[in-house]
């Protein structure tokens, strides 16, 4: 048995090395992309310039001097051109026909956009064509021309006609880059998608952020959009927390082109402060791999230009203090852990499952038992999952390693006479963290690809990874479901089932109902607050406390990390012979263990940030637990005869 145990640990060691290789690929990709692009909205810049009574070009120069990298320009539509009087929509004598009179050199781009982004046809020889222009219009040297569109203006007014060339030139003159904001067109042809993005590229645009209710090409032509983005080498900005139709699928189809964007919507700007925004932007860039900050301006200030200049200056300083640089955003370099490495991680995961089962029912002592054969088949399945379905393998790794960590057989055994209980408790806690860390490395290694960094893909089963190990720990330590052999486990299960059937006929006491409800409420709150998007609204007090931690610590630890104090205290009390209290506190502390591993399941968070967050949380939680133990020992010494 000893040789088999050594072989299993060797497989775990090899798998851990493969996981570390995958983690190193991710770390290098994150470390090489520290550049943050600061973007303003052109409409807000123009409003600010109007409020100050200075030219827009001068305002752009001021913002460039303090660190703004780019300006987002929203494409014109026929409706916006009519509002600015660059187009006149004149009802025709013929019902359902619109006569467009274009001004200020907008004729050519309007005609090209309508022909490319709609199914309307221009055919002088066809009396049923949807577009008509003056004969010989292409030979005329003027741009103030008219055209007839055989559709009501209410139908065609939302057609996008591209970015205003004059605004583009103004931004370029300020030595800033342009972010293009395009909207979708109903039933746009595939050629129209390619044309629209090609126009952006020809105008010097590097990043596009789609506006409106849906992305370009939604819903049946998103693959065409992704291919056009790739062929034009355009980056696509995906705005965090803002959902528009088609963005999730496009995110997955165009992963290589994705830049994550954070902004503060207009509704929130009404109550925002510069200080709050700076903290929010800094956290987004530092802790969630956001690489473009779409900065909304404070337009209601007494001295709006100077106050917004100071706002940007402070934001730039905050970003630089966080180890980031200012410049044009770039996508993350492509990387992926090789298949061979995933298989090695899978072998290590299979070995961990063997050792977990040995802790539960002495698997290694009776490999011929049918239950042992079932486990053997399961281990083969884990290796296969690692090769072909790494997300499922990562979930299995999170559950197996965390469960193994918290059910090791002697964690709650009495401390031998003469040994220091606190020292023993710390060593046992160290073993728990060591095994859990092996699970962290397996999860990170299996999912080391660019898609997880930009959140085009995500860990599956976060709640299962949090609570399945806890459930197993309850069964082992509270119910006593562990045995020396597979046969003994099956016999124990039969006895426990019989006991449960007898308990059904027993009367239930009031305190038992109250305790059960309290446990269910706590577990329900933890369940709802877990995952990538918790379902429970965070209280104002907790938000303020979070802000305080963010302002005073390098990274904010997770609150559940404080339960390491309960874990350590439970191990200590059980070692001192106080098993009932020890088991209760220990099971509460198991939440900290699963949460420790869960931190690394949020794969869009930089790896170094997750390491710092867990390390700081463990130090605080263990330190609190050790302090409580020292106080207990002091009191016990006072009462000792």
């Amino acid at each position: 048995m000893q040789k088999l145990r050594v072989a299993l640990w060797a497989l775990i060691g090899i798998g851990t090395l493969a996981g570390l290789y995958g983690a190193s690929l991710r770390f290098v990709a994150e470390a090489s992309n520290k550049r943050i692009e600061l973007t303003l909205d052109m409409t807000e810049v123009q409003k600010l310039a109007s409020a100050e009574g200075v030219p827009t070009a001068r305002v752009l120069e001021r913002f460039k001097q303090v660190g703004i990298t780019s300006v987002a320009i929203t494409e014109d539509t026929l409706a916006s051109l009519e509002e600015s009087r660059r187009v006149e929509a004149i009802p025709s004598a013929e019902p359902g026909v619109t006569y467009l009179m274009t001004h200020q050199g907008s004729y050519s781009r309007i005609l090209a956009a309508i022909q490319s982004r709609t199914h309307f046809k221009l055919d002088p020889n066809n009396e049923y064509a949807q577009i008509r222009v003056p004969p010989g219009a292409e030979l005329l040297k003027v741009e103030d021309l008219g055209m007839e569109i055989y559709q009501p203006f209410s139908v065609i007014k939302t057609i996008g006609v591209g970015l205003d060339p004059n605004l583009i030139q103004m931004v370029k003159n300020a030595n800033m880059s342009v972010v293009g904001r395009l909207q979708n067109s109903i039933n746009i042809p595939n050629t129209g998608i390619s044309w629209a993005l090609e126009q952006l590229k020809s105008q010097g645009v590097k990043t596009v952020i789609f506006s409106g209710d849906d992305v370009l090409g939604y819903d049946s032509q998103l693959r065409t959009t992704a291919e056009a983005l790739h062929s034009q080498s355009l980056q696509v900005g995906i705005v965090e927390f803002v959902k528009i139709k088609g963005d999730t699928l496009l995110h997955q189809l165009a992963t290589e082109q994705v830049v994550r964007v954070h902004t503060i919507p207009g509704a929130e700007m009404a109550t925002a402060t510069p200080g709050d925004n700076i903290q929010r932007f800094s956290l987004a860039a530092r802790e969630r791999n956001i690489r473009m900050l779409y900065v909304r301006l404070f337009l209601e200030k007494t001295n709006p230009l100077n106050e917004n200049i100071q706002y940007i200056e402070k934001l730039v300083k905050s970003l630089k203090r966080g180890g980031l640089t200012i410049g044009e955003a770039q996508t993350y370099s492509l990387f992926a852990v090789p298949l061979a490495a995933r298989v090695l991680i899978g072998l290590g995961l299979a070995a961990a499952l063997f050792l977990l089962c040995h802790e539960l029912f002495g698997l290694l002592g009776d490999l011929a038992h049918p239950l042992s054969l079932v486990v053997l088949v399961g281990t083969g399945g884990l290796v296969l999952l690692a090769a072909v379905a790494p997300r499922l393998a990562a979930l299995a790794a999170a559950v197996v390693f965390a469960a193994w960590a918290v059910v090791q057989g002697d964690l709650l055994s009495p401390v031998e006479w003469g040994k220091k209980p606190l020292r023993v408790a710390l060593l046992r806690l160290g073993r728990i963290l060591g095994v859990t860390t092996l699970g962290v490395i397996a999860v990170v290694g299996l999912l080391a690809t660019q898609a997880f960094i930009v959140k085009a893909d995500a860990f599956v089963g976060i709640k299962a990874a949090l609570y399945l190990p806890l459930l197993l720990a309850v069964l082992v330590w509270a119910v006593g479901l562990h045995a020396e052999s597979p046969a003994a486990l099956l016999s124990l299960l039969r006895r426990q089932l019989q006991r449960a059937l007898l308990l059904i006929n027993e009367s239930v006491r009031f305190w038992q109902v109250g305790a059960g409800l309290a446990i269910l409420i706590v577990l329900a709150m933890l369940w709802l607050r877990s995952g990538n998007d918790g379902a429970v609204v965070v209280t104002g007090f907790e938000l303020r406390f979070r802000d305080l931690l963010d302002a005073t610590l390098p990274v904010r630890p997770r609150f559940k990390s404080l339960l390491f104090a309960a874990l350590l205290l439970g191990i200590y009390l059980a070692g001192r012979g106080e098993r009932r209290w020890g088991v209760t506190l220990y099971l509460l502390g198991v939440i900290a263990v699963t949460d420790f591993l869960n931190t690394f399941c949020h794969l869009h968070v930089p790896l170094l940030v997750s390491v710092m967050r867990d390390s700081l949380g463990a130090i605080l939680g263990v330190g609190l637990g050790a302090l409580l133990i020292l106080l207990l020992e002091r009191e016990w010494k006072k009462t000792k005869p």
Side-chain angles (χ1 to χ4, degrees), residues 3-70:
K3 290 183 179 179
L4 180 56
R5 187 188 291 270
V6 171
L8 292 173
W9 272 105
L11 287 176
I12 292 172
I14 294 171
T16 299
L17 291 175
L20 287 172
Y21 172 68
S24 69
L25 295 178
R26 175 178 159 190
F27 177 79
V28 170
E30 291 176 339
S32 61
N33 189 354
K34 296 287 188 180
R35 201 161 60 198
I36 306 299
E37 182 168 340
L38 299 180
T39 303
L40 296 182
D41 186 87
M42 175 56 88
T43 301
E44 290 191 347
V45 172
Q46 290 175 314
K47 289 180 179 178
L48 181 63
S50 176
E52 290 281 357
V54 297
T56 301
R58 175 57 185 154
V59 173
L60 290 174
E61 291 173 2
R62 290 285 306 277
F63 279 120
K64 172 63 178 178
Q65 292 169 0
V66 295
I68 291 297
T69 317
S70 58

Side-chain angles (χ1 to χ4, degrees), residues 48-370:
L48 181 63
S50 176
E52 290 281 357
V54 297
T56 301
R58 175 57 185 154
V59 173
L60 290 174
E61 291 173 2
R62 290 285 306 277
F63 279 120
K64 172 63 178 178
Q65 292 169 0
V66 295
I68 291 297
T69 317
S70 58
V71 178
I73 301 176
T74 301
E75 73 168 330
D76 290 324
T77 63
L78 293 179
S80 67
L81 290 177
E82 186 201 28
E83 184 179 352
S84 62
R85 311 308 298 167
R86 285 175 286 174
V87 163
E88 293 180 71
I90 305 171
S92 172
E94 187 175 350
V97 177
T98 302
Y99 184 79
L100 294 180
M101 185 63 189
T102 67
H103 304 291
Q104 299 181 13
S106 57
Y107 174 84
S108 297
R109 70 181 181 115
I110 291 175
L111 181 60
I114 293 176
Q115 287 184 276
S116 300
R117 296 177 66 166
T118 71
H119 292 275
F120 299 162
K121 303 299 181 184
L122 172 63
D123 186 355
N125 301 317
N126 183 357
E127 62 177 320
Y128 298 105
Q130 292 99 333
I131 309 173
R132 289 192 177 183
V133 300
E138 67 278 3
L139 301 177
L140 299 177
K141 300 298 183 180
V142 296
E143 281 287 334
D144 285 6
L145 292 172
M147 66 183 77
E148 281 186 324
I149 311 293
Y150 280 68
Q151 291 288 340
F153 188 69
S154 60
V155 173
I156 64 174
K157 66 181 182 179
T158 59
I159 295 175
V161 297
L163 308 188
D164 187 336
N166 296 324
L167 294 182
I168 291 175
Q169 191 59 50
M170 187 185 300
V171 172
K172 289 182 177 180
N173 289 342
N175 293 316
M176 291 191 279
S177 54
V178 176
V179 173
R181 302 217 61 187
L182 291 188
Q183 66 174 27
N184 194 23
S185 298
I186 298 176
N187 196 29
I188 184 172
N190 286 338
T191 53
I193 294 173
S194 301
W195 178 87
L197 296 176
E198 184 180 345
Q199 291 299 303
L200 290 185
K201 185 67 176 181
S202 67
Q203 292 173 317
V205 174
K206 296 182 180 179
T207 303
V208 56
I209 300 175
F210 295 114
S211 61
D213 296 328
D214 43 24
V215 302
L216 185 66
Y218 178 80
D219 62 341
S220 61
Q221 299 156 291
L222 292 178
R223 194 170 297 277
T224 301
T225 303
E227 292 171 355
L229 288 167
H230 181 74
S231 65
Q232 297 298 330
S233 299
L234 283 172
Q235 299 175 161
V236 57
I238 301 294
V239 183
E240 187 182 36
F241 306 137
V242 175
K243 297 296 183 183
I244 62 174
K245 297 174 184 177
D247 65 339
T248 300
L249 182 55
L250 183 63
H251 201 164
Q252 297 167 354
L253 293 173
T255 300
E256 299 175 17
Q257 314 301 125
V258 167
V259 170
R260 297 191 72 215
V261 182
H262 186 78
T263 191
I264 299 174
E268 296 181 33
M269 283 294 294
T271 58
T273 65
D276 290 341
N277 286 9
I278 289 169
Q279 184 178 15
R280 179 168 164 178
F281 279 131
S282 299
L283 287 174
R286 193 172 67 244
E287 299 189 5
R288 297 197 299 277
N289 281 321
I290 297 294
R291 287 299 170 262
M292 177 181 286
L293 301 178
Y294 198 117
V295 183
R296 298 289 185 179
L297 298 175
F298 291 91
L299 299 176
E300 306 299 326
K301 298 291 185 179
T302 305
N303 189 358
L305 180 56
N306 286 337
E307 292 195 39
N308 278 286
I309 290 294
Q310 294 172 9
Y311 167 44
I312 300 301
E313 287 176 332
K314 292 177 181 177
L315 174 58
V316 170
K317 289 179 181 178
S318 178
L319 293 171
K320 289 182 177 179
R321 281 197 303 268
L324 303 167
T325 59
I326 308 301
E328 291 185 352
Q330 60 184 12
T331 58
Y332 283 91
S333 58
L334 287 175
F335 69 96
V337 64
L339 174 62
R342 293 206 308 272
V343 170
L344 292 177
I345 297 172
L347 289 171
L349 173 56
L353 179 61
F354 256 96
L355 291 174
L356 168 61
C357 292
H358 182 66
E359 293 287 351
L360 296 175
F361 53 85
L363 171 70
L364 301 183
D366 190 0
L367 292 174
H369 193 277

Side-chain angles (χ1 to χ4, degrees), residues 367-627:
L367 292 174
H369 193 277
L371 185 56
S372 301
L373 296 178
V374 171
V375 174
L376 182 61
V377 173
T379 57
L382 290 179
V383 177
L384 181 62
L385 282 179
V388 301
R391 289 204 306 168
L392 293 179
L395 172 60
V399 173
V400 168
F401 278 100
W404 176 27
V406 298
V407 301
Q408 297 175 73
D410 61 343
L411 290 174
L412 301 183
S413 61
V415 176
E416 296 178 12
W417 180 260
K419 291 187 176 180
K420 296 182 178 181
L422 176 56
R423 182 174 182 275
V424 172
L426 288 171
L427 289 174
R428 291 175 178 178
L429 178 58
R431 285 166 46 201
I432 293 174
L433 287 175
V435 173
T436 307
T437 301
L438 295 177
V440 166
I441 294 171
V443 169
V444 172
L446 285 167
L447 302 183
T449 66
Q450 182 204 33
F452 290 95
I453 288 183
V454 298
K455 215 176 178 181
D457 207 344
F459 181 90
V460 60
I462 279 183
K463 288 181 171 63
L466 274 171
Y467 297 109
L468 286 180
L470 175 60
L471 175 61
L472 187 59
V474 170
L475 293 175
V476 169
W477 298 114
V479 182
L481 286 181
H482 57 94
E484 296 297 324
S485 67
L489 178 66
L490 294 177
S491 177
L492 176 62
L493 286 173
R494 284 193 294 269
R495 292 197 303 272
Q496 293 287 5
L497 180 60
Q498 292 171 356
R499 183 183 177 189
L501 292 174
L502 291 174
L503 287 175
I504 292 176
N505 298 320
E506 295 287 335
S507 59
V508 180
R509 298 180 180 180
F510 181 78
W511 72 266
Q512 292 172 327
V513 175
L517 286 175
I519 292 172
L520 287 176
I521 291 172
V522 170
L523 290 177
M525 289 296 294
L526 291 172
W527 179 276
L528 292 172
R529 286 173 61 94
S530 61
N532 289 309
D533 300 296
V536 174
V537 177
V538 180
T539 64
F541 171 77
E542 185 176 343
L543 285 173
R544 289 191 294 272
F545 188 58
R546 286 182 179 184
D547 291 342
L548 177 63
L549 294 178
D550 286 326
T552 55
L553 297 174
V555 294
R556 173 171 52 84
R558 295 160 73 99
F559 289 147
K560 297 188 191 78
S561 298
L562 295 177
L563 292 177
F564 274 116
L567 189 74
L568 181 62
L569 193 56
I571 297 172
Y572 170 80
L573 289 174
R576 291 290 299 258
E578 301 287 343
R579 187 171 177 83
R580 177 176 295 182
W581 280 107
V583 169
T584 302
L585 289 171
Y586 178 82
L587 292 177
L588 181 62
V590 167
I591 296 172
V593 177
T594 57
D595 188 67
F596 182 93
L597 199 154
N598 175 259
T599 297
F600 291 87
C601 297
H602 297 266
L603 295 150
H604 61 286
V605 176
L607 189 57
L608 185 58
V609 170
S610 294
V611 171
M612 294 173 63
R613 173 168 287 132
D614 265 2
S615 299
L616 185 56
I619 290 171
L620 292 174
V622 173
L624 176 60
L627 178 61

